[in-house]
Amino acid sequence: MWLRGLPTGFNHGFRPEGGFGGVHAGYNHQFDRFVVGIEGDADFGRVNGGFTIPIFRYDARKEWEASVRGRFGYTPTERLLLYVTGGVAFTELKYSWMDITGFFPPVDASVSKAGWTAGIGGEAALTHRVTARLEYRYSDFGTTRFDWPAVAGSYEQHPRFQSVRGGVSVRF
């Protein structure tokens, strides 16, 4: 937490929890054993977390995330693709600060963010048109500052998310 731009010495990390589901679409082109592609996705759900310090409660949540990424892969066998992916990510973060004594009015904010995402994964052909994938991704949305004018303070957060994703794709 920061008070009028000066550090208070308070540093608090927390681990939000939740889950997402979504859709993805993309295009791949194969050159011998190498695959190059572009992909986009949109995920919806809820990830939230927070903490309480003496008389204040802080909550944060994310209800959606989307990305547009490049993808580069290698096919060690005919039915398996191993790949790396990276690109731009988008989300909206919702914050709230409240005084649990009720003395100060609560504050809510909604902040749209763009950042970056990168990951690795594998995709296996189940049939000629259907594949299954497993992917790890890391997303970083820079720094967000959330102000609470009633207490002349603000809170800075560096929202970063790690996710393991599974999916099924149908080729057209």
Side-chain angles (χ1 to χ4, degrees):
M1 180 153 72
W2 296 86
L3 189 57
R4 295 182 191 225
L6 298 173
T8 63
F10 173 73
N11 184 3
H12 193 286
F14 65 101
R15 298 196 183 282
E17 296 180 350
F20 275 78
V23 296
H24 68 269
Y27 175 80
N28 292 312
H29 189 78
Q30 188 165 353
F31 303 94
D32 193 25
R33 290 195 171 272
F34 296 96
V35 175
V36 177
I38 187 164
E39 188 168 84
D41 62 21
D43 302 318
F44 304 92
R46 183 173 238 181
V47 173
N48 59 343
F51 58 86
T52 302
I53 54 176
I55 63 167
F56 299 115
R57 173 76 191 157
Y58 172 78
D59 288 302
R61 75 178 186 268
K62 174 178 85 160
E63 295 174 346
W64 64 269
E65 183 176 331
S67 71
V68 177
R69 302 175 322 282
R71 190 160 89 144
F72 180 74
Y74 178 73
T75 55
T77 68
E78 184 179 320
R79 301 182 74 78
L80 178 64
L81 169 66
L82 302 175
Y83 63 89
V84 295
T85 185
V88 63
F90 308 93
T91 194
E92 181 178 23
L93 303 168
K94 297 181 180 189
Y95 301 103
S96 70
W97 265 115
M98 69 193 253
D99 168 10
I100 60 178
T101 68
F103 185 74
F104 295 103
V107 175
D108 296 309
S110 184
V111 180
S112 296
K113 298 290 287 183
W116 61 271
T117 188
I120 60 172
E123 190 166 349
L126 303 177
T127 69
H128 179 65
R129 296 185 61 193
V130 178
T131 63
R133 70 167 60 187
L134 186 62
E135 177 179 279
Y136 163 81
R137 283 226 319 257
Y138 177 87
S139 299
D140 187 317
F141 293 100
T143 300
T144 298
R145 186 176 179 128
F146 175 74
D147 294 320
W148 191 3
V151 297
S154 62
Y155 178 74
E156 262 186 21
Q157 183 186 47
H158 191 123
R160 299 172 294 222
F161 300 92
Q162 298 184 60
S163 59
V164 175
R165 301 157 178 259
V168 174
S169 300
V170 177
R171 297 181 199 188
F172 295 101

PDB file of all heavy atoms in Angstrom, residues 7-19:
ATOM      1  N   PRO A   7       6.198   5.194   0.260  1.00  0.00           N
ATOM      2  CA  PRO A   7       5.986   3.808   0.670  1.00  0.00           C
ATOM      3  C   PRO A   7       5.699   3.716   2.166  1.00  0.00           C
ATOM      4  O   PRO A   7       6.304   4.403   2.965  1.00  0.00           O
ATOM      5  CB  PRO A   7       7.293   3.118   0.315  1.00  0.00           C
ATOM      6  CG  PRO A   7       8.258   4.168  -0.071  1.00  0.00           C
ATOM      7  CD  PRO A   7       7.527   5.461  -0.229  1.00  0.00           C
ATOM      8  N   THR A   8       4.759   2.866   2.506  1.00  0.00           N
ATOM      9  CA  THR A   8       4.405   2.663   3.909  1.00  0.00           C
ATOM     10  C   THR A   8       5.203   1.516   4.518  1.00  0.00           C
ATOM     11  O   THR A   8       5.126   1.292   5.719  1.00  0.00           O
ATOM     12  CB  THR A   8       2.915   2.315   4.047  1.00  0.00           C
ATOM     13  OG1 THR A   8       2.686   1.076   3.371  1.00  0.00           O
ATOM     14  CG2 THR A   8       2.032   3.401   3.482  1.00  0.00           C
ATOM     15  N   GLY A   9       5.887   0.752   3.685  1.00  0.00           N
ATOM     16  CA  GLY A   9       6.584  -0.429   4.171  1.00  0.00           C
ATOM     17  C   GLY A   9       5.706  -1.661   4.129  1.00  0.00           C
ATOM     18  O   GLY A   9       6.153  -2.765   4.381  1.00  0.00           O
ATOM     19  N   PHE A  10       4.437  -1.476   3.774  1.00  0.00           N
ATOM     20  CA  PHE A  10       3.513  -2.594   3.694  1.00  0.00           C
ATOM     21  C   PHE A  10       3.669  -3.281   2.348  1.00  0.00           C
ATOM     22  O   PHE A  10       3.594  -2.653   1.311  1.00  0.00           O
ATOM     23  CB  PHE A  10       2.085  -2.087   3.878  1.00  0.00           C
ATOM     24  CG  PHE A  10       1.045  -3.138   3.637  1.00  0.00           C
ATOM     25  CD1 PHE A  10       0.846  -4.152   4.561  1.00  0.00           C
ATOM     26  CD2 PHE A  10       0.279  -3.119   2.495  1.00  0.00           C
ATOM     27  CE1 PHE A  10      -0.109  -5.127   4.344  1.00  0.00           C
ATOM     28  CE2 PHE A  10      -0.667  -4.078   2.272  1.00  0.00           C
ATOM     29  CZ  PHE A  10      -0.864  -5.087   3.200  1.00  0.00           C
ATOM     30  N   ASN A  11       3.880  -4.571   2.373  1.00  0.00           N
ATOM     31  CA  ASN A  11       3.993  -5.359   1.154  1.00  0.00           C
ATOM     32  C   ASN A  11       3.226  -6.645   1.391  1.00  0.00           C
ATOM     33  O   ASN A  11       3.528  -7.381   2.324  1.00  0.00           O
ATOM     34  CB  ASN A  11       5.459  -5.658   0.848  1.00  0.00           C
ATOM     35  CG  ASN A  11       5.637  -6.396  -0.446  1.00  0.00           C
ATOM     36  OD1 ASN A  11       4.686  -6.656  -1.175  1.00  0.00           O
ATOM     37  ND2 ASN A  11       6.868  -6.734  -0.748  1.00  0.00           N
ATOM     38  N   HIS A  12       2.218  -6.889   0.594  1.00  0.00           N
ATOM     39  CA  HIS A  12       1.386  -8.067   0.819  1.00  0.00           C
ATOM     40  C   HIS A  12       1.121  -8.765  -0.497  1.00  0.00           C
ATOM     41  O   HIS A  12       0.646  -8.158  -1.438  1.00  0.00           O
ATOM     42  CB  HIS A  12       0.067  -7.646   1.461  1.00  0.00           C
ATOM     43  CG  HIS A  12      -0.701  -8.805   2.011  1.00  0.00           C
ATOM     44  ND1 HIS A  12      -1.368  -9.694   1.219  1.00  0.00           N
ATOM     45  CD2 HIS A  12      -0.880  -9.226   3.278  1.00  0.00           C
ATOM     46  CE1 HIS A  12      -1.939 -10.606   1.968  1.00  0.00           C
ATOM     47  NE2 HIS A  12      -1.655 -10.344   3.227  1.00  0.00           N
ATOM     48  N   GLY A  13       1.442 -10.039  -0.563  1.00  0.00           N
ATOM     49  CA  GLY A  13       1.111 -10.841  -1.723  1.00  0.00           C
ATOM     50  C   GLY A  13      -0.046 -11.756  -1.379  1.00  0.00           C
ATOM     51  O   GLY A  13      -0.253 -12.115  -0.227  1.00  0.00           O
ATOM     52  N   PHE A  14      -0.826 -12.085  -2.359  1.00  0.00           N
ATOM     53  CA  PHE A  14      -1.891 -13.060  -2.152  1.00  0.00           C
ATOM     54  C   PHE A  14      -2.049 -13.865  -3.426  1.00  0.00           C
ATOM     55  O   PHE A  14      -1.624 -13.456  -4.488  1.00  0.00           O
ATOM     56  CB  PHE A  14      -3.200 -12.393  -1.722  1.00  0.00           C
ATOM     57  CG  PHE A  14      -3.805 -11.481  -2.761  1.00  0.00           C
ATOM     58  CD1 PHE A  14      -4.853 -11.903  -3.544  1.00  0.00           C
ATOM     59  CD2 PHE A  14      -3.333 -10.199  -2.929  1.00  0.00           C
ATOM     60  CE1 PHE A  14      -5.418 -11.076  -4.481  1.00  0.00           C
ATOM     61  CE2 PHE A  14      -3.884  -9.361  -3.873  1.00  0.00           C
ATOM     62  CZ  PHE A  14      -4.928  -9.801  -4.652  1.00  0.00           C
ATOM     63  N   ARG A  15      -2.619 -15.028  -3.302  1.00  0.00           N
ATOM     64  CA  ARG A  15      -2.772 -15.943  -4.432  1.00  0.00           C
ATOM     65  C   ARG A  15      -4.260 -16.132  -4.727  1.00  0.00           C
ATOM     66  O   ARG A  15      -4.937 -16.895  -4.060  1.00  0.00           O
ATOM     67  CB  ARG A  15      -2.126 -17.272  -4.116  1.00  0.00           C
ATOM     68  CG  ARG A  15      -0.647 -17.146  -3.874  1.00  0.00           C
ATOM     69  CD  ARG A  15       0.021 -18.499  -3.948  1.00  0.00           C
ATOM     70  NE  ARG A  15       1.429 -18.426  -3.645  1.00  0.00           N
ATOM     71  CZ  ARG A  15       2.369 -18.008  -4.469  1.00  0.00           C
ATOM     72  NH1 ARG A  15       2.065 -17.592  -5.654  1.00  0.00           N
ATOM     73  NH2 ARG A  15       3.632 -18.004  -4.113  1.00  0.00           N
ATOM     74  N   PRO A  16      -4.736 -15.422  -5.764  1.00  0.00           N
ATOM     75  CA  PRO A  16      -6.133 -15.599  -6.142  1.00  0.00           C
ATOM     76  C   PRO A  16      -6.371 -17.015  -6.680  1.00  0.00           C
ATOM     77  O   PRO A  16      -5.462 -17.645  -7.201  1.00  0.00           O
ATOM     78  CB  PRO A  16      -6.360 -14.559  -7.231  1.00  0.00           C
ATOM     79  CG  PRO A  16      -5.097 -13.849  -7.434  1.00  0.00           C
ATOM     80  CD  PRO A  16      -4.064 -14.432  -6.553  1.00  0.00           C
ATOM     81  N   GLU A  17      -7.597 -17.472  -6.548  1.00  0.00           N
ATOM     82  CA  GLU A  17      -7.961 -18.799  -7.021  1.00  0.00           C
ATOM     83  C   GLU A  17      -9.222 -18.709  -7.859  1.00  0.00           C
ATOM     84  O   GLU A  17     -10.001 -17.782  -7.724  1.00  0.00           O
ATOM     85  CB  GLU A  17      -8.204 -19.732  -5.837  1.00  0.00           C
ATOM     86  CG  GLU A  17      -6.971 -19.975  -5.006  1.00  0.00           C
ATOM     87  CD  GLU A  17      -7.242 -20.896  -3.829  1.00  0.00           C
ATOM     88  OE1 GLU A  17      -8.423 -21.205  -3.553  1.00  0.00           O
ATOM     89  OE2 GLU A  17      -6.269 -21.310  -3.201  1.00  0.00           O
ATOM     90  N   GLY A  18      -9.412 -19.706  -8.722  1.00  0.00           N
ATOM     91  CA  GLY A  18     -10.617 -19.773  -9.531  1.00  0.00           C
ATOM     92  C   GLY A  18     -10.377 -20.593 -10.772  1.00  0.00           C
ATOM     93  O   GLY A  18      -9.359 -21.276 -10.901  1.00  0.00           O
ATOM     94  N   GLY A  19     -11.319 -20.517 -11.691  1.00  0.00           N
ATOM     95  CA  GLY A  19     -11.209 -21.282 -12.919  1.00  0.00           C
ATOM     96  C   GLY A  19     -11.861 -20.577 -14.088  1.00  0.00           C
ATOM     97  O   GLY A  19     -12.662 -19.658 -13.912  1.00  0.00           O
TER      98      GLY A  19
END
